[in-house]
Amino acid sequence: MRDPVGRFLAALDPEHREAVGAAPRAEQERLAAAWERELASDPELDTLDELSPPAAEAEAARRVMDAHSA
């Protein structure tokens, strides 16, 4: 299994992937942990995950980055 940071980076859009990839490892790990919590806690994402795991991961990544930039 890939590490959470790698999975999170893969789920990000290219612009955010570059920015997060340039961040310190601790920040990457913090964002990846928030992403995993988002995936685990939202029932809508759970349903989407059954239909399209990449779409669910991308949506959770978008939400984490929106919250991070707010």
Side-chain angles (χ1 to χ4, degrees):
M1 182 167 111
R2 289 169 35 202
D3 75 298
V5 171
R7 289 181 55 230
F8 175 61
L9 288 172
L12 288 168
D13 63 73
E15 179 183 327
H16 285 119
R17 185 177 308 122
E18 184 176 325
V20 173
R25 181 68 183 191
E27 178 68 4
Q28 293 176 2
E29 289 172 353
R30 186 185 71 74
L31 291 169
W35 173 72
E36 287 188 315
R37 285 190 303 274
E38 184 72 25
L39 279 171
S41 67
D42 189 322
E44 289 179 18
L45 289 177
D46 191 42
T47 300
L48 181 58
D49 187 50
E50 291 178 13
L51 300 172
S52 174
E57 290 181 353
E59 175 61 16
R62 184 193 64 75
R63 291 178 186 183
V64 167
M65 294 312 297
D66 284 352
H68 175 69
S69 63

